[in-house]
Amino acid sequence: MKSTNELLAAMTLEEKAAICAGLNMWMTKGFEQHGIPAIHMYDGTNGIRKTNSDEEMGVTGENIPATCYPTGSAIGSSWNTDLLHELGVALGIEGREMGVELLLGPGINMKRTPLGGRNFEYYSEDPCLSGELGAAFVNGMQSQGVGASVKHFACNNQEFEKIVTSSEVDERTLREIYLSAFERIVKKADPWTIMCSYNLLNGSYTSENEHLLNDILREEWGYDGVVISDWTAVNDRIRGLAAGLDLEMPGPAYYNTKAIVQAVQEGKLDEAVVNKSAARILELVRKTAEPQVEAAASGIDYHELARRAATESIVLLKNDNGILPLDSEKISKMAVIGKFAKQPRIQGAGSARVTPTRVDIPWDEMKSIVGDKVDMVYAEGYPQDDRIDEQMIQESVTLAASADVVVLFVGQPEYVESEMHDLETIELPLHQQKLIKAVTEVQPHCIVVTSSGSALAMHPWVQYVPGVLHSWLTGQGSGRAIADILLGRVNPSGKLSETFPVKLSDNPAHMRIRGENGKLYYREGLFIGYRYYDRKELAPQFAFGHGLSYTTFAYSDLKTVYQDRKMNVTLTVENTGTLFGKEVVQLYVHDEECKWIRPEKELKAFAKIALAPGEKQQVTFVLEERDFAYYNTKYNKWVAETGYFQIAVGSSSRDIRLRERVYCDFGQEPVSFHKFSLVSDWISEPKARAIFENCLAEMNKHVTEQVVLDDVFIGFWGDFPVIKVIQMFGQTWLVDRSPDDVVQEMITEFERQ
């Protein structure tokens, strides 16, 4: 390809406008006369969903087979950045083999509520975890010359009326919770594209939201890649182009090409804006057509990688009396109950649904491991639909009573979790709840294997079963992964990437899930996920970061060194059990002294380490100033305040093993005053207090009621603006000056000093 400037000079206005929309459902426009090839893009959050034709959406039918990896919610529970990078590399290689230049993923929106219909596509409720995993995934994929598209930007947290609903989010919550993971990925991985969402954000469609696309993404974060629309997410194309939306999908959108040309000709749109977007698209084409990377050779065993990814993602939630792993030498008969044992759910529905190359079946994989040592018997347990079949339950109970142990496969039905609609509940279907209760009444040795793409409520049945293994939706290798963990061939190492509440109403967004009249107010603010449960002092069923192992780990020797506004944190972790295992070490920060409301603690770093029995390893984290900061809307910037912080390290958000109290000096916050600055503001700074006291001394010469800054006065009037104090007590003094004049004189004197 010629240089971008040469191409822009050779292209007509119509051609530059046309390249800003796709050719069809899955391709950009190419211009043979200019040597500009088209590029192919397909959905790719947990595998490549390449359609049989570039003219079809292909959501409801089968597509070209590709490796189906664990969904976002599952792989998020791996907490393994190395694995995410490896998956990105594998998808890049497989993408090149399938003629794909751009994959539409990863999905990193925060999980505001467990009812989100696309929650299975997203990693976590926490921006640090999502951002680190997403950056690793993007870096891996783009190392193979295949571009990523980080989505959905931003605040796309529900499916209900999402195209006509405005997510109403205050600026601090927006920055700290809903944009933070995007920012981390932009700065650590420089994704070639970012996909805007369908919804409005604070009254403006994200596809044309200037504050989001230009002020924050372009200007503040310095992003110069392509912003692409979700399919049909464009509202006002001219406004969107001016805000920074480069590529409209799908194409060809002839009407908008004409509208762009007309807007330029009529002087309503600067042609330089069109040139910028066209240039960014041309650079994207260049990256895919002329990759500046040495792509890895093919030869990956994709299915084996899918199995390994699944084993890293599955979470052992409960293991009373060490019921797991099962020992085939000590079991003569095992009852396997539940349709999912032979017809597993491996992924969610909608645009992320992959046509797998093969699927491991849990029953078959368990059978292949135990061989003839164990008599395995099966009952379907429940019907395909929601009806309660008492005969199926009774058949399961009879089978369970005759066995030494029962493994029950349950979960959300496939039709429940899909793009285009939200969940109604996070409880298992009633027929499965009745099945678990009936089985546990006759067989106490019961392990429940759950499948879902989002958090599940497990009360009250969870108290009756000693073992619970949450398998998520872990892709085509999940059957082998489940079998390996149940039978002790693999030690589970997944940790929950989202909080599992006792009941749905415990969730902080429960009162405001869908919104009204096109507006959804995020009034829980910063307090989503574990941040809410910590602040509310509310016990979840299973905490964020929770996950058991077949071995045990001890934490010791926490040390912190603060220097040059960075903190080095080291600790030692030892495998104190008898089996090889992996532990996720989680570091949280608590601000003891901030003037603004902050969560009790926030995840700021994590590491997944592998240890043999008796092995120790030193774990090191480096925290930056930003890790101690909050978004200060007074100054519209991130601020870390000087003071005391707690560094808390543990095995989950509720299992903190070590704490260290540290003092961090980030300098003094710039002090400024305005017309309505409070008494407490003025007396908190020595120079300002002196100015205020001088003002009061002058006022006291002219008034009957004297004002003295003692504890009694401050205790009552501390949160009153100074201007109102002067207005209240200085009426007989204010003859030639107004309260505004007095306060402005005070401000001027402070700034002069």
Side-chain angles (χ1 to χ4, degrees):
M1 286 175 62
K2 295 179 180 178
S3 73
T4 297
N5 287 337
E6 288 176 308
L7 289 170
L8 289 175
M11 295 171 74
T12 65
L13 173 60
E14 288 76 10
E15 289 171 333
K16 289 184 290 189
I19 205 173
C20 292
L23 174 67
N24 49 36
M25 192 66 73
W26 301 110
M27 295 172 66
T28 62
K29 291 188 177 82
F31 293 88
E32 191 175 337
Q33 67 273 30
H34 297 301
I36 303 170
I39 64 175
H40 298 76
M41 65 188 81
Y42 300 98
D43 288 312
T45 52
N46 62 291
I48 302 167
R49 192 180 73 83
K50 183 175 181 179
T51 55
N52 295 294
S53 164
D54 288 322
E55 302 293 338
E56 63 184 37
M57 190 67 182
V59 170
T60 55
E62 294 299 304
N63 297 300
I64 296 172
T67 313
C68 179
Y69 294 104
T71 61
S73 61
I75 204 67
S77 292
S78 75
W79 292 65
N80 191 331
T81 53
D82 291 339
L83 175 64
L84 268 291
H85 187 274
E86 189 177 356
L87 288 178
V89 169
L91 278 168
I93 295 172
E94 190 175 8
R96 287 192 286 108
E97 292 172 346
M98 295 177 69
V100 180
E101 286 90 19
L102 181 66
L103 275 175
L104 307 176
I108 62 157
N109 291 77
M110 294 299 98
K111 299 184 182 185
R112 177 177 176 263
T113 162
L115 295 181
R118 299 186 80 168
N119 274 6
F120 65 88
E121 293 187 53
Y122 301 137
Y123 291 143
S124 176
E125 67 187 29
D126 182 82
C128 172
L129 179 57
S130 294
E132 290 296 319
L133 296 178
F137 182 83
V138 170
N139 276 323
M141 186 187 300
Q142 293 185 168
S143 73
Q144 304 306 302
V146 174
S149 191
V150 183
K151 62 183 187 181
H152 303 88
F153 195 61
C155 297
N156 183 180
N157 304 107
Q158 68 177 38
E159 292 299 288
F160 176 76
E161 296 184 354
K162 65 182 176 183
I163 299 181
V164 294
T165 297
S166 177
S167 300
E168 299 289 314
V169 192
D170 69 89
E171 188 73 9
R172 187 176 168 207
T173 298
L174 181 67
R175 299 300 194 115
E176 293 189 28
I177 302 296
Y178 295 100
L179 297 188
S180 183
F182 286 100
E183 180 183 5
R184 193 177 290 252
I185 295 172
V186 165
K187 292 179 177 178
K188 286 195 168 191
D190 192 19
W192 294 355
T193 73
I194 288 176
M195 183 189 293
C196 78
S197 54
Y198 282 112
N199 55 285
L200 299 91
L201 175 60
N202 294 329
S204 174
Y205 275 104
T206 63
S207 61
E208 58 197 47
N209 191 307
E210 186 175 359
H211 181 55
L212 182 69
L213 299 184
N214 183 70
D215 300 349
I216 297 175
L217 180 62
R218 299 286 191 201
E219 298 296 328
E220 189 177 319
W221 298 352
Y223 182 67
D224 61 0
V226 170
V227 176
I228 180 175
S229 76
D230 205 338
W231 271 228
T232 74
V234 167
N235 175 50
D236 183 327
R237 185 64 184 110
I238 307 306
R239 186 179 172 191
L241 197 65
L245 178 71
D246 303 306
L247 181 60
E248 175 181 3
M249 290 300 293
Y254 296 125
Y255 45 88
N256 275 337
T257 297
K258 292 178 181 177
I260 292 168
V261 171
Q262 184 177 350
V264 172
Q265 291 173 341
E266 293 177 354
K268 297 177 181 177
L269 180 69
D270 192 333
E271 188 170 352
V273 172
V274 183
N275 288 345
K276 273 188 180 179
S277 284
R280 286 192 283 254
I281 293 166
L282 290 171
E283 285 302 309
L284 173 63
V285 173
R286 189 186 313 283
K287 287 174 182 173
T288 60
E290 304 170 1
Q292 302 297 304
V293 296
E294 187 158 335
S298 185
I300 295 174
D301 186 335
Y302 296 120
H303 186 67
E304 188 56 39
L305 176 58
R307 285 174 166 174
R308 185 154 50 84
T311 61
E312 292 262 344
S313 305
I314 292 171
V315 185
L316 179 59
L317 294 177
K318 187 177 181 183
N319 194 24
D320 289 355
N321 303 316
I323 191 170
L324 289 174
L326 298 173
D327 187 345
S328 58
E329 300 291 337
K330 298 178 180 178
I331 299 171
S332 59
K333 186 175 183 180
M334 180 193 305
V336 177
I337 299 171
K339 186 183 296 291
F340 287 161
K342 291 191 175 182
Q343 300 173 40
R345 272 198 72 202
I346 65 170
Q347 59 182 322
S351 62
R353 185 180 177 276
V354 177
T355 300
T357 56
R358 57 185 281 198
V359 177
D360 289 345
I361 306 300
W363 166 268
D364 295 341
E365 298 299 330
M366 293 170 69
K367 192 81 172 166
S368 72
I369 293 173
V370 301
D372 297 329
K373 294 179 183 177
V374 179
D375 178 19
M376 285 178 57
V377 291
Y378 171 75
E380 204 167 271
Y382 43 84
Q384 195 76 32
D385 55 25
D386 283 339
R387 62 192 169 83
I388 296 172
D389 190 319
E390 296 291 351
Q391 185 176 342
M392 295 180 78
I393 292 176
Q394 188 53 50
E395 178 192 357
S396 301
V397 167
T398 302
L399 210 63
S402 69
D404 299 316
V405 66
V406 173
V407 182
L408 252 170
F409 285 80
V410 297
Q412 293 281 22
E414 185 167 358
Y415 60 83
V416 167
E417 293 178 291
S418 173
E419 182 179 2
M420 300 305 289
H421 63 80
D422 292 319
L423 286 75
E424 295 294 330
T425 179
I426 58 171
E427 293 187 357
L428 291 174
L430 187 57
H431 57 52
Q432 294 181 13
Q433 295 185 52
K434 288 178 71 71
L435 173 67
I436 295 171
K437 185 174 186 297
V439 167
T440 54
E441 286 176 352
V442 300
Q443 178 53 265
H445 301 115
C446 183
I447 296 119
V448 175
V449 179
T450 51
S451 298
S452 72
S454 189
L456 275 179
M458 300 182 181
H459 183 78
W461 60 261
V462 72
Q463 63 188 304
Y464 303 119
V465 296
V468 180
L469 191 70
H470 190 61
S471 70
W472 295 105
L473 306 176
T474 28
Q476 66 183 56
S478 61
R480 169 62 68 85
I482 292 169
D484 281 346
I485 290 174
L486 288 174
L487 292 157
R489 293 171 30 139
V490 172
N491 192 345
S493 63
K495 301 271 191 176
L496 291 182
S497 55
E498 59 191 276
T499 305
F500 278 35
V502 174
K503 56 187 182 300
L504 179 60
S505 59
D506 287 347
N507 183 264
H510 183 67
M511 303 296 287
R512 292 168 294 276
I513 289 178
R514 289 188 164 180
E516 298 173 351
N517 297 320
K519 289 193 175 185
L520 174 61
Y521 293 95
Y522 287 43
R523 288 192 172 128
E524 67 282 352
L526 305 171
F527 296 98
I528 73 166
Y530 69 90
R531 290 164 167 80
Y532 171 79
Y533 292 90
D534 284 353
R535 176 51 66 95
K536 189 72 173 176
E537 298 181 356
L538 181 65
Q541 188 71 64
F542 296 108
F544 174 79
H546 170 74
L548 303 176
S549 171
Y550 295 153
T551 190
T552 54
F553 300 95
Y555 289 57
S556 62
D557 301 327
L558 178 63
K559 294 183 176 65
T560 60
V561 177
Y562 178 72
Q563 189 174 10
D564 298 329
R565 299 199 176 196
K566 289 185 179 181
M567 180 173 292
N568 273 62
V569 180
T570 59
L571 67 142
T572 300
V573 180
E574 179 182 3
N575 183 341
T576 53
T578 59
L579 296 174
F580 171 88
K582 294 183 178 180
E583 171 71 333
V584 177
V585 183
Q586 303 164 39
L587 187 155
Y588 298 84
V589 172
H590 166 65
D591 188 343
E592 290 187 1
E593 302 185 40
C594 186
K595 296 191 292 287
W596 294 37
I597 293 175
R598 298 191 69 174
E600 292 302 302
K601 61 179 177 292
E602 297 175 279
L603 181 74
K604 294 300 178 182
F606 60 91
K608 193 167 193 175
I609 60 172
L611 296 173
E615 183 181 0
K616 294 182 179 180
Q617 183 174 326
Q618 187 179 75
V619 181
T620 300
F621 299 111
V622 179
L623 301 180
E624 308 280 346
E625 182 174 344
R626 173 66 179 268
D627 294 315
F628 297 90
Y630 64 96
Y631 193 80
N632 188 313
T633 52
K634 179 178 179 180
Y635 302 111
N636 289 320
K637 67 177 184 179
W638 291 90
V639 172
E641 293 184 357
T642 294
Y644 283 98
F645 294 82
Q646 285 187 30
I647 305 300
V649 181
S651 188
S652 84
S653 64
R654 290 288 175 106
D655 183 10
I656 300 301
R657 307 288 183 88
L658 302 170
R659 289 182 185 271
E660 182 80 15
R661 188 170 187 251
V662 296
Y663 182 82
C664 298
D665 185 357
F666 297 112
Q668 293 302 310
E669 181 182 322
V671 179
S672 62
F673 296 97
H674 54 81
K675 177 178 177 179
F676 291 105
S677 290
L678 308 178
V679 168
S680 57
D681 294 330
W682 278 94
I683 66 174
S684 64
E685 207 284 330
K687 292 180 181 178
R689 180 176 182 130
I691 292 169
F692 184 28
E693 287 177 335
N694 289 338
C695 172
L696 293 178
E698 182 183 348
M699 183 183 75
N700 285 338
K701 296 175 184 177
H702 303 274
V703 300
T704 302
E705 187 175 0
Q706 303 289 290
V707 176
V708 180
L709 291 181
D710 55 20
D711 291 343
V712 174
F713 181 87
I714 294 170
F716 190 85
W717 298 99
D719 288 339
F720 222 59
V722 162
I723 193 171
K724 296 300 180 182
V725 170
I726 294 169
Q727 192 175 343
M728 180 77 70
F729 295 99
Q731 289 292 328
T732 57
W733 172 47
L734 298 171
V735 178
D736 299 318
R737 291 187 297 170
S738 70
D740 294 64
D741 295 332
V742 173
V743 170
Q744 187 55 54
E745 289 169 10
M746 291 169 60
I747 293 172
T748 302
E749 184 178 352
F750 178 80
E751 291 174 348
R752 186 170 58 246
Q753 291 183 5

